[in-house]
Amino acid sequence: MTLAHGREYLAIPGPSVMPDRVLQAMHRAAPNIYEGALADMVDAMIPDLKAVARTKHHAAIYICNGHGAWEAALTNVLSRGDRVLALCTGRFTHGWADVAVKLGAEVERLDFGNQGTVDHATFAEALAADKAHAIKAVLVAHVDTATSVRNDIKALRDILDKAGHPALLCVDCIASLACDTFEMDAWGVDVMISASQKGLMTPPGLGFVWFNDRADAAHARADMATLYWDWTPRSRPEFFYQYFGGTAPTHHLYGLREALTMIGEEGLENVWERHRRLAGAVWAAVAAWGQGGPLRFNVEDPALRTHAVTALSIGRENGKRLRNWLTENTGVTLGIGLGMYRRDDPEGDGFFRIGHMGHLNSHMVLGVLGSMEAGMTALGIDHGRGALEAAARACA
Ligand SMILES: *Cc1c(COP(=O)(O)O)cnc(C)c1O
């Protein structure tokens, strides 16, 4: 006997929960991929895709996951031998930088560890040291999904401007788009990438690159560009199939259309605010549990945390035990501690993550938190009292 039967909740930071409306929109026969309803739908969807990024500039859709979007962004603006500065606050900008190395860029990494944001003074020094403006692009994750650190992108733009440095500001918003507040144009972001399976609530399989005219000017000089990843026909197609370099990802597009409609109905500001409130409920519970046991935030300062996912440590082995217990006994699956470890925990088993991105509401979050309390009780993991009351108050 187990209490896990019933609707499952995958509380990992992507793929996120897919709304029934998105799944139902995808449940249909194959459409014509040359003209007609699908082509009209995609033409009409592009403005909504730009709106979710808060940009008036250009958007390109790729059939790929986030790793593909990394490659798409880089190949469109870089030439072999170009210098790239990667601002690493966890795992993901390292991953993007690895792609840049393999493509033939000369990559310099500033590593800010796993518990904090980009150090602004260090970034300013690196720019000041580059008097010849050899750095062509700065890579940074808005939110690092492994550490749950959120960087201040507007501040990074201000530092570039103050230094008078022309490098393109390239931002990975795979975890943050439609979760944390993000303003591509107002914050001066040149290139932004995301993927379908997190805040956009659509199955994994679509990657996106948004870019402005400055980035497009760099594109004209970039020798890494390849026919398949080239963003020009994808962002200004003469024929429908040029959007996708071949067969359209038909059913993903129907799913995405519905997800963007849902975001539009709720209002993007309300989507951001819902994520902020629900993250607050998670944090209230964690803070109370931590008063009487080993549970700790990976990022101490709430102002530096994303509203999309929370990385936690709970003592060696306990992360894995708790995750397994929840999956087996409650129907909730928590995220693994991705690439996280401390000296006393070489396997990273003490880390785990709660995904709270996309299609979720207070009953789902309170359910996850109640399940975690049950798990800690069943496993004999010490924890402070009043966590669920604090979370409920945060949702009130
Ligand atoms: C999920 C994620 C990725 C990787 O996306 P995939 O679809 O798994 O390739 C990259 N960057 C960030 C910030 C992410 O959250």
Side-chain angles (χ1 to χ4, degrees):
M1 205 292 288
T2 163
L3 302 182
H5 293 288
R7 179 169 274 219
E8 291 168 355
Y9 176 15
L10 189 63
I12 72 174
S16 64
V17 173
M18 290 161 208
D20 290 342
R21 279 176 64 179
V22 167
L23 295 174
Q24 280 154 12
M26 299 176 74
H27 195 86
R28 63 173 74 211
N32 184 353
I33 57 162
Y34 300 107
E35 59 191 3
L38 178 70
D40 295 344
M41 182 196 81
V42 172
D43 284 340
M45 181 170 71
I46 300 298
D48 294 347
L49 195 58
K50 292 179 185 175
V52 83
R54 298 291 189 134
T55 184
K56 294 200 168 359
H57 297 285
H58 314 284
I61 309 176
Y62 295 88
I63 304 171
C64 64
N65 59 15
H67 284 67
W70 279 343
E71 189 159 326
L74 296 172
T75 55
N76 272 289
V77 296
L78 294 178
S79 295
R80 284 161 192 81
D82 275 355
R83 269 184 68 195
V84 166
L85 183 63
L87 309 177
C88 304
T89 53
R91 184 181 171 111
F92 285 93
T93 309
H94 276 300
W96 201 3
D98 291 343
V99 176
V101 168
K102 201 78 179 167
L103 287 167
E106 218 180 283
V107 179
E108 180 188 351
R109 299 175 204 237
L110 298 178
D111 192 332
F112 301 99
N114 283 341
Q115 270 85 34
T117 47
V118 171
D119 179 70
H120 294 169
T122 307
F123 177 43
E125 279 163 29
L127 293 177
D130 179 33
K131 298 212 167 29
H133 293 169
I135 297 168
K136 299 301 177 206
V138 172
L139 310 184
V140 65
H142 181 208
V143 164
D144 186 287
T145 323
T147 59
S148 63
V149 165
R150 181 183 56 206
N151 286 299
D152 183 343
I153 300 301
K154 172 72 168 65
L156 301 182
R157 160 51 65 196
D158 291 345
I159 292 165
L160 276 160
D161 288 349
K162 211 164 155 202
H165 201 294
L168 296 173
L169 179 57
C170 305
V171 183
D172 173 344
C173 289
I174 296 175
S176 56
L177 193 73
C179 302
D180 288 293
T181 301
F182 178 81
E183 300 275 359
M184 177 160 169
D185 292 354
W187 294 356
V189 172
D190 298 301
V191 177
M192 191 275 276
I193 62 162
S194 197
S196 51
Q197 77 273 21
K198 300 189 185 180
L200 295 180
M201 309 179 288
T202 301
L206 295 180
F208 310 95
V209 181
W210 293 260
F211 57 97
N212 64 14
D213 292 334
R214 238 164 66 77
D216 211 24
H219 175 74
R221 302 185 294 271
D223 79 8
M224 281 184 194
T226 63
L227 202 59
Y228 187 72
W229 292 119
D230 191 343
W231 66 29
T232 305
R234 291 170 183 267
S235 58
R236 302 150 175 100
E238 281 179 58
F239 307 101
F240 179 68
Y241 68 82
Q242 290 181 339
Y243 272 119
F244 306 105
T247 304
T250 49
H251 289 68
H252 277 75
L253 293 168
Y254 284 113
L256 179 66
R257 167 67 278 172
E258 191 62 23
L260 291 171
T261 299
M262 291 175 69
I263 290 169
E265 286 169 2
E266 185 176 355
L268 188 55
E269 279 95 353
N270 292 331
V271 172
W272 293 336
E273 178 62 9
R274 175 166 52 81
H275 281 81
R276 190 187 70 77
R277 290 281 309 279
L278 293 174
V282 172
W283 299 349
V286 170
W289 283 324
Q291 293 294 313
L295 187 64
R296 297 286 177 272
F297 289 106
N298 182 52
V299 180
E300 291 290 342
D301 182 352
L304 308 184
R305 290 183 208 138
T306 170
H307 300 154
V309 53
T310 300
L312 299 166
S313 67
I314 191 168
R316 197 160 176 189
E317 303 284 325
N318 279 343
K320 195 171 179 182
R321 285 173 73 216
L322 186 63
R323 281 192 298 103
N324 289 345
W325 192 91
L326 260 74
T327 299
E328 285 160 21
N329 294 284
T330 73
V332 170
T333 295
L334 300 174
I336 60 168
L338 195 61
M340 297 287 296
Y341 58 88
R342 287 180 176 167
R343 259 189 281 282
D344 62 344
D345 182 19
E347 305 296 316
D349 285 346
F351 279 89
F352 67 100
R353 295 173 297 166
I354 307 172
H356 35 90
M357 54 174 55
H359 188 58
L360 84 166
N361 54 23
S362 54
H363 93 71
M364 294 162 78
V365 167
L366 293 171
V368 167
L369 297 172
S371 299
M372 285 178 60
E373 173 126 348
M376 287 187 279
T377 302
L379 296 171
I381 300 171
D382 289 339
H383 53 280
R385 301 196 172 270
L388 299 180
E389 202 179 321
R393 220 178 299 124
C395 290

